[in-house]
Amino acid sequence: MPGLALPNHDAANNGFSYPRSTEQTCGQKSRAQLSPDDELSAKESLALYCKPLELYNIIRQRAIEKPPSLQRCLRYKIEAKRKKRIQISVSISGSANTRLPAHGIFPLHVLLARSSKDAPGEGHSPMYRFSRACVLTSFCESGDSGHTEATFTIPNMKSLSISQVRSLDIILISRGQGGQNLSENCSENHAEYSSPQKLGGQCFWGKIPIDSLGSSLDCVTLSLGRTVELTSEISMNPGFIEPSLLEHDSCLTFCSLKANATGSYKLKASIDVQEAGARDMRLSPYNIYSYDDVPQSLLPKIIRLRTGNVLFNYKYYKNLYKSEVTEDFTCSFCLVPCGSFKGLECHLTSSHDLFRYEFWVSKEYQAVNVSLKIDTRREELPTVAGNDPGSRVFFYRSSRFKRCKISETATEKTKDVYPHITELGSPGMTVPVDQDIVEPRSPRN
């Protein structure tokens, strides 16, 4: 059957070891211990899966042309996609920046902005459009985690090669105020500092292109839920920001011709990169697995295969079971990728309710135990019981067509009418007509 390939061997003999729990695993009785009668009964028990699989195969074929719903619109698919996005945190270390200007660098605004291709005029940088501005008021060593780090979220690693992502830049804008540490008055002035309107005027600015981070990121480390630590050296140049653009369109451009300061300085920024769902990954025992014994050349492939692997155990006669493994959290019945193990659970229970499921996760496996419901064997599979559904007789009863009866009172009223014909040329005069000449009119006519 498409969508489900049951192996020809028992999972009891495949070398896998499961936690010894009757609630999680199926029985592991070997087929070699079965008598001939039990062998026949086991085959008949396993054949009970055929009818539901035929039904789901028909539904799957119909869904190809007319899908009942868009997979990308399902909530668990959206959540799984969001967890694959990349989270970038930017901070400034005081120990790494020993040569700073006398006027200081704080408050330091950090923005995730999208740049346009053309500059608005001579001496201007490209136009940048942003949605949110984070403000740093002290170095990361100060311990004030609320105002020493700026965090942004960008699309996943596959999207870093798209032109829309390539136009993203992290913009740093420094409006130093005498080198003072602003963390002392941070709670009072943070809302004022973080206002976009405060960006206008003289400043020093620099940028970190997002596409430059893509070549430095380790995909293997990110897929394991770990954090990649990078250091970027930024050239801070003097510029002037027009306040009028900030008030209306959340846009800014830097004009070097209006800058009062001269010269530039280097600023080293610490960048931490991880997947947005890394914290949730660490909560699952399946993701605690160590890859120390895996060769480095095979590590990316092993991680990709193992991350979405799900073991399906199909229970049948006397706790025997067949097993198969799917990749990328794919449903074994309709081959739909569900994005996560939680999404697979939602999909199976809502779309394939002819079976009963047990979901469990250990350090070695993500598994689903599948068994037939009792009602399914009796009602959905009549062929196995010897009743051919084609020989069944179905009766259909329809109510009789009710004809409209002619009312006698309507005919009587028609006979009692005495019509009058008005002669031409004398609208005020009428001539009575003999009643015997007038025929009663039937309602059908």
Side-chain angles (χ1 to χ4, degrees), residues 9 36 147 235 273 303:
H9 58 278
H147 309 297
S235 178
V273 185
I303 293 176

Side-chain angles (χ1 to χ4, degrees), residues 345-363:
E345 179 179 351
C346 296
H347 171 78
L348 290 175
T349 53
S350 61
S351 301
H352 306 293
D353 57 348
L354 295 182
F355 301 107
R356 182 179 291 106
Y357 305 98
E358 298 174 0
F359 302 90
W360 58 276
V361 179
S362 67
K363 188 176 180 180

Side-chain angles (χ1 to χ4, degrees), residues 68-121:
S69 62
L70 295 177
Q71 291 292 323
R72 65 175 182 271
C73 298
L74 298 175
R75 181 179 295 276
Y76 59 80
K77 294 294 288 289
I78 296 176
E79 292 178 354
K81 186 177 180 180
R82 288 177 177 175
K83 290 181 179 180
K84 291 296 182 181
R85 295 187 299 179
I86 298 176
Q87 187 172 294
I88 300 177
S89 300
V90 181
S91 60
I92 306 298
S93 173
S95 59
N97 295 275
T98 56
R99 297 181 180 180
L100 293 177
H103 55 74
I105 62 172
F106 298 111
L108 181 67
H109 292 82
V110 185
L111 300 79
L112 181 64
R114 189 181 302 277
S115 62
S116 60
K117 295 182 180 179
D118 301 327

Side-chain angles (χ1 to χ4, degrees), residues 230-251:
L230 304 174
T231 301
S232 177
E233 188 175 69
I234 310 160
S235 178
M236 304 292 289
N237 302 306
F240 180 83
I241 303 175
E242 292 290 348
S244 58
L245 295 175
L246 297 170
E247 296 177 359
H248 302 287
D249 301 327
S250 295
C251 295

Side-chain angles (χ1 to χ4, degrees), residues 101 103-111 125 128 171-177 196-207 235-243 246 252-265:
H103 55 74
I105 62 172
F106 298 111
L108 181 67
H109 292 82
V110 185
L111 300 79
S125 69
Y128 294 97
I171 307 296
L172 285 79
I173 304 174
S174 173
R175 296 177 54 83
Q177 299 179 3
Q197 286 74 19
K198 294 296 180 180
L199 294 174
Q202 301 291 332
C203 67
F204 281 83
W205 73 285
K207 68 176 182 178
S235 178
M236 304 292 289
N237 302 306
F240 180 83
I241 303 175
E242 292 290 348
L246 297 170
L252 56 85
T253 181
F254 302 95
C255 179
S256 58
L257 301 179
K258 296 182 180 181
N260 296 332
T262 58
S264 61
Y265 63 92

Side-chain angles (χ1 to χ4, degrees), residues 405-416 443:
K405 295 182 180 180
I406 302 175
S407 175
E408 296 180 357
T409 56
T411 306
E412 292 175 356
K413 288 182 180 180
T414 306
K415 292 181 179 181
D416 294 339

Side-chain angles (χ1 to χ4, degrees), residues 25-312:
T25 59
C26 307
Q28 301 186 19
K29 185 176 180 180
S30 174
R31 290 279 295 271
Q33 302 176 3
L34 297 178
S35 63
D37 293 340
D38 289 340
E39 185 78 18
L40 180 61
S41 300
K43 292 181 179 180
E44 294 177 351
S45 176
L46 187 61
L48 295 176
Y49 281 92
C50 294
K51 277 294 180 179
L53 293 180
E54 290 178 2
L55 174 62
Y56 289 139
N57 188 41
I58 295 173
I59 296 175
R60 183 174 68 90
Q61 294 297 331
R62 291 179 178 178
I64 294 176
E65 299 180 357
K66 295 182 179 180
S69 62
L70 295 177
Q71 291 292 323
R72 65 175 182 271
C73 298
L74 298 175
R75 181 179 295 276
Y76 59 80
K77 294 294 288 289
I78 296 176
E79 292 178 354
K81 186 177 180 180
R82 288 177 177 175
K83 290 181 179 180
K84 291 296 182 181
R85 295 187 299 179
I86 298 176
Q87 187 172 294
I88 300 177
S89 300
V90 181
S91 60
I92 306 298
S93 173
S95 59
N97 295 275
T98 56
R99 297 181 180 180
L100 293 177
H103 55 74
I105 62 172
F106 298 111
L108 181 67
H109 292 82
V110 185
L111 300 79
L112 181 64
R114 189 181 302 277
S115 62
S116 60
K117 295 182 180 179
D118 301 327
E122 184 180 357
H124 287 75
S125 69
M127 185 71 69
Y128 294 97
R129 182 181 296 273
F130 66 97
S131 59
R132 184 172 64 96
C134 299
V135 60
L136 308 184
T137 56
S138 61
F139 295 112
C140 59
E141 291 89 351
S142 65
D144 185 6
S145 59
H147 309 297
T148 61
E149 188 177 77
T151 303
F152 304 98
T153 303
I154 63 174
N156 55 21
M157 289 292 299
K158 295 181 180 179
S159 303
L160 287 179
S161 58
I162 302 177
S163 58
Q164 293 182 352
V165 180
R166 286 183 176 180
S167 61
L168 287 176
D169 296 315
I170 298 176
I171 307 296
L172 285 79
I173 304 174
S174 173
R175 296 177 54 83
Q177 299 179 3
Q180 71 271 29
N181 190 342
L182 301 180
S183 60
E184 299 176 358
N185 301 325
C186 179
S187 58
E188 300 177 1
N189 301 331
H190 184 266
E192 179 183 355
Y193 290 142
S194 60
S195 175
Q197 286 74 19
K198 294 296 180 180
L199 294 174
Q202 301 291 332
C203 67
F204 281 83
W205 73 285
K207 68 176 182 178
I208 306 173
I210 292 296
D211 57 351
S212 66
L213 298 178
S215 58
S216 304
L217 294 179
D218 187 358
C219 301
V220 175
T221 304
L222 291 177
S223 61
L224 292 176
R226 300 170 184 172
T227 302
V228 177
E229 298 180 356
L230 304 174
T231 301
S232 177
E233 188 175 69
I234 310 160
S235 178
M236 304 292 289
N237 302 306
F240 180 83
I241 303 175
E242 292 290 348
S244 58
L245 295 175
L246 297 170
E247 296 177 359
H248 302 287
D249 301 327
S250 295
C251 295
L252 56 85
T253 181
F254 302 95
C255 179
S256 58
L257 301 179
K258 296 182 180 181
N260 296 332
T262 58
S264 61
Y265 63 92
K266 300 293 183 180
L267 183 65
K268 292 183 179 181
S270 301
I271 304 174
D272 295 338
V273 185
Q274 64 177 358
E275 285 191 353
R279 182 176 301 177
D280 295 337
M281 290 179 59
R282 289 190 288 267
L283 298 177
S284 174
Y286 185 72
N287 296 319
I288 306 177
Y289 182 82
S290 176
Y291 295 89
D292 297 336
D293 298 334
V294 180
Q296 192 68 25
S297 59
L298 299 177
L299 189 57
K301 184 177 181 180
I302 297 298
I303 293 176
R304 180 183 63 83
L305 293 176
R306 189 179 185 277
T307 300
N309 274 10
V310 179
L311 177 66
F312 284 83

